[in-house]
């Protein structure tokens, strides 16, 4: 059993802390936000993430998972410190590393014996070196090893991704640190999870290269979908057939209104910036970003076209605000771009999302919130679906037709049956499969 401190109780820190305690280690999650720690100590989970409450409870009861705001103490008592604080995007597009740098200083000041300092947060290539320097500058020549151990967790499936990962990446030049880190993930040996040991820079790059490649795949299929719209092809069959080729794989080939969330939009920009700083133009990633921005606007144009360009004073039902299902996260969600555009064009917005409405309310937009899709749809001129929540997959189209003033639907996630939309004579559109027969 290793004694571990996780700094930062956001989505990454909390899932990591809970996951590592589930592996049998003694974990303390710390945060400067005392209120958050108080809530966690009273059993309240501040984010919506399936299964997280179960493993937090399970390991808190066992005494393996604790929450504390005494950061200095926790650092001193631990052998491994995970940095899992936020790295938001600053105004110029670079990652804001203020929180990371402050944490590095605090770690340096509390370094009392050999420790491993491990970064989980996504940080631009080269940041590890800076963190190491800050710790050295602030400590009294006590030995430590720096490790980069990026996370590959998807929101909404983060607990499962942590407990059953595809791979573990450990970036460290120290054999001693690698052995200890291997031990942290020891339960995964049972599943023969590949553990990749490399240097810090390679590890940092793996994270950006992976996320940007996935983003690229999405933009690619969105462009193919847009072309399918024009030529009468069905993008779902195209992507399914493409995916049969083992070199391509069927994953992340689902078209939609463009990718969002706290990772892909930020990480693609950061990779382009790192390229610029090193005089390497990241042309493909730049294109993926451009396509993604355009895709969101394309959805507005599609809706306008369904309404014969008459959108002023029309009531539009927006179903789904979260950037994807199983999360209340609205960061860079398609809804945050599309709804303000529709409002600007004079539309009245009715909306419903199973869990993301509270977060959306913080944007202070003048829109109407409802408790279910039926109420949100009643009397509206058109409906646009933005998030593929399961409860939207089960929408009764006949009921919807009766609720709407006019049966006009834009399904940006392609989850409604085209056959049924056609049979019920909906005025509809989707992304890349309108012409399906
Ligand atoms: C992503 C990666 O998938 C994780 O591996 C990574 O750890 C995480 O970023 C991170 O860096 O922390 P996440 O942003 O939670 O995870 O969500 P994804 O499931 O990857 O979806 C991202 C966006 O792409 C969503 O807006 C989703 O709707 C969209 N998407 C995804 C598509 O439009 N099509 C697809 O085929 C897949």
């Amino acid at each position: 059993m290793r004694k571990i401190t996780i700094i930062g109780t956001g989505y990454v820190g909390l899932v990591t802390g809970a996951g590592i305690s589930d592996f049998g280690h003694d974990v303390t999650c710390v945060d400067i936000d005392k209120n958050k720690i108080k809530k966690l100590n009273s059993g309240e989970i501040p984010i919506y993430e399936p299964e997280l409450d179960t493993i937090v409870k399970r390991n808190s009861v066992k005494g393996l998972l604790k929450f504390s705001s005494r950061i200095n103490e926790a650092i001193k008592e631990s052998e491994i410190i995970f940095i899992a604080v936020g790295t938001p995007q600053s105004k110029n597009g670079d990652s804001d590393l203020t929180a990371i740098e402050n944490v590095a200083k605090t770690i340096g000041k509390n370094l009392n014996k050999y420790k491993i300092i491990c970064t989980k947060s996504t940080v631009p290539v080269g940041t590890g070196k800076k963190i190491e320097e800050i710790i050295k500058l602030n400590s009294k020549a006590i030995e430590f090893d720096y490790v980069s151990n990026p996370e590959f967790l998807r929101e909404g499936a983060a607990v499962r991704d942590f407990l059953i990962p595809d791979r573990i990446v450990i970036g460290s030049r120290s054999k001693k640190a690698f052995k200890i880190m291997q031990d942290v993930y020891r339960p995964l040996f049972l599943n023969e999870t590949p553990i990749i040991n490399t240097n810090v820079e390679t590890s940092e790059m793996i994270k950006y290269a992976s996320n940007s490649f996935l983003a690229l795949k999405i933009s690619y299929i969105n462009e193919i979908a847009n072309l399918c719209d024009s030529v009468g092809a069905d993008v779902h069959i195209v992507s399914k057939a493409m995916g049969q080729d083992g070199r391509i794989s069927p994953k992340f080939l689902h078209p939609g209104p463009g990718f969002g969330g706290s990772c892909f939009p930020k990480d693609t920009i950061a990779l382009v910036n790192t390229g610029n700083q090193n005089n390497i133009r990241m042309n493909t990633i730049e294109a993926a970003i451009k396509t993604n921005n355009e895709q969101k606007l394309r959805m507005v144009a599609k809706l306008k076209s369904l309404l014969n360009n008459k959108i002023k004073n029309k009531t539009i039902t927006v179903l789904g605000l979260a950037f994807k299902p199983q999360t209340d996260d609205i960061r860079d969600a398609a809804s945050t771009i599309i709804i303000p555009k529709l409002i600007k064009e004079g539309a009245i917005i009715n909306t419903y999302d199973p869990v993301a409405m509270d977060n959306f309310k913080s944007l202070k937009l003048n829109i109407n919130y409802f408790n279910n899709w039926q109420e949100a749809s009643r009397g509206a001129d058109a409906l646009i679906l933005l998030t593929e929540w399961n409860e939207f997959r089960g929408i009764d189209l006949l009921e919807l037709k009766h609720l709407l003033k006019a049966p006009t639907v834009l399904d940006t996630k392609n989850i409604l049956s085209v056959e049924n939309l056609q049979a019920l004579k909906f005025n509809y559109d989707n992304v890349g499969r309108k012409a399906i027969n």
Side-chain angles (χ1 to χ4, degrees):
M1 182 197 278
R2 303 276 174 181
K3 183 113 184 69
I4 296 168
T5 285
I6 317 276
I7 306 182
T9 56
Y11 137 83
V12 172
L14 215 47
V15 174
T16 303
I20 291 182
S21 66
D22 214 54
F23 290 162
H25 301 291
D26 179 351
V27 177
T28 305
C29 292
V30 297
D31 204 297
I32 44 170
D33 186 340
K34 288 194 174 133
N35 203 24
K36 215 170 177 189
I37 294 297
K38 209 170 144 194
K39 280 187 183 161
L40 283 162
N41 272 324
S42 66
E44 205 180 307
I45 310 286
I47 49 166
Y48 177 86
E49 183 62 43
E51 298 173 48
L52 185 56
D53 52 347
T54 316
I55 67 163
V56 166
K57 213 177 276 165
R58 181 160 74 216
N59 294 292
S60 301
V61 169
K62 284 189 203 159
L64 289 177
L65 181 62
K66 283 153 278 183
F67 301 101
S68 165
S69 42
R70 289 149 82 173
I71 301 182
N72 300 346
E73 209 168 90
I75 293 171
K76 283 188 183 123
E77 285 170 2
S78 294
E79 179 188 16
I80 306 161
I81 321 289
F82 279 93
I83 303 176
V85 293
T87 52
Q89 203 173 320
S90 57
K91 282 204 179 85
N92 66 359
D94 286 340
S95 298
D96 178 353
L97 299 175
T98 317
I100 291 259
E101 285 163 4
N102 288 339
V103 166
K105 272 183 212 155
T106 309
I107 294 172
K109 284 183 187 146
N110 289 288
L111 209 61
N112 54 348
K113 56 185 180 215
Y114 172 81
K115 289 182 200 301
I116 289 177
I117 318 301
C118 172
T119 299
K120 267 272 167 219
S121 312
T122 302
V123 290
V125 185
T127 306
K129 223 178 230 160
K130 285 185 202 153
I131 298 176
E132 213 173 331
E133 275 161 23
I134 297 174
I135 298 173
K136 266 186 200 148
L137 268 175
N138 287 277
S139 64
K140 294 180 191 122
I142 291 164
E143 190 202 350
F144 73 94
D145 279 314
Y146 179 79
V147 172
S148 157
N149 174 217
E151 54 86 14
F152 301 100
L153 315 171
R154 287 162 303 162
E155 286 188 35
V159 172
R160 220 165 318 147
D161 283 350
F162 193 92
L163 300 177
I164 318 165
D166 288 338
R167 78 298 208 185
I168 298 289
V169 176
I170 296 173
S172 170
R173 291 176 184 87
S174 151
K175 281 211 172 74
K176 178 177 170 184
F178 176 65
K179 277 214 165 111
I180 297 173
M181 289 302 292
Q182 233 180 349
D183 190 49
V184 170
Y185 291 105
R186 204 160 56 155
L188 299 178
F189 291 179
L190 290 172
N191 307 339
E192 295 184 28
T193 306
I195 297 195
I196 295 145
N197 185 204
T198 179
N199 64 23
V200 171
E201 289 71 23
T202 310
S203 169
E204 291 169 339
M205 182 58 94
I206 289 169
K207 171 71 188 189
Y208 281 96
S210 303
N211 269 8
S212 296
F213 185 73
L214 293 171
L216 196 65
K217 261 188 117 173
I218 298 167
S219 277
Y220 180 80
I221 202 65
N222 280 340
E223 283 191 347
I224 296 292
N226 298 341
L227 198 52
C228 284
D229 271 338
S230 302
V231 300
D234 181 344
V235 70
H236 276 220
I237 297 176
V238 172
S239 65
K240 196 172 169 191
M242 280 171 68
Q244 301 302 310
D245 185 329
R247 294 169 300 175
I248 297 174
S249 127
K251 292 184 180 161
F252 278 70
L253 282 181
H254 301 287
F259 57 78
S262 64
C263 305
F264 290 173
K266 173 170 77 91
D267 294 351
T268 44
I269 291 174
L271 191 60
V272 167
N273 287 352
T274 304
N276 287 340
Q277 284 151 17
N278 291 281
N279 292 321
I280 308 286
R281 188 94 194 247
M282 305 303 285
N283 289 312
T284 53
I285 310 302
E286 281 182 27
I289 297 168
K290 187 165 180 265
T291 297
N292 195 53
N293 294 337
E294 287 174 8
Q295 190 70 1
K296 291 174 183 165
L297 302 180
R298 180 177 283 269
M299 298 304 116
V300 176
K302 269 177 178 281
L303 185 67
K304 280 173 75 174
S305 154
L306 282 174
L307 290 165
N308 296 322
N309 279 323
K310 290 186 194 110
I311 206 153
K312 201 162 180 215
N313 295 326
K314 290 274 160 65
T315 301
I316 312 290
T317 301
V318 178
L319 293 187
L321 298 169
F323 84 96
K324 63 181 228 175
Q326 306 302 336
T327 177
D328 60 355
D329 199 338
I330 57 156
R331 283 177 284 178
D332 271 316
S335 61
T336 63
I337 304 291
I338 292 169
I339 291 178
K341 281 261 170 237
L342 294 175
I343 293 174
K344 212 168 163 203
E345 303 253 357
I348 300 148
I349 306 293
N350 286 356
T351 191
Y352 166 68
D353 184 288
V355 298
M357 290 200 288
D358 280 347
N359 281 342
F360 210 81
K361 281 176 189 165
S362 66
L363 300 183
K364 304 216 175 328
L365 296 170
N366 187 17
I367 60 183
N368 308 312
Y369 294 93
F370 292 87
N371 291 325
N372 53 51
W373 67 263
Q374 288 95 335
E375 281 178 32
S377 307
R378 189 165 287 122
D381 295 284
L383 179 145
I384 175 169
L385 190 150
L386 293 178
T387 317
E388 67 277 34
W389 284 100
N390 271 345
E391 62 182 89
F392 300 154
R393 290 178 196 272
I395 285 177
D396 178 339
L397 290 177
L398 185 61
E399 187 183 355
L400 179 65
K401 189 175 174 180
H402 289 142
L403 286 167
L404 292 171
K405 200 196 283 176
T408 300
V409 166
L410 172 58
D411 174 11
T412 72
K413 285 290 180 176
N414 297 351
I415 61 170
L416 303 177
S417 156
V418 172
E419 287 83 354
N420 292 346
L421 287 166
Q422 281 175 347
L424 289 165
K425 301 208 169 10
F426 267 86
N427 171 26
Y428 74 92
D429 200 359
N430 49 34
V431 184
R433 59 189 323 234
K434 177 144 193 202
I436 184 178
N437 285 312

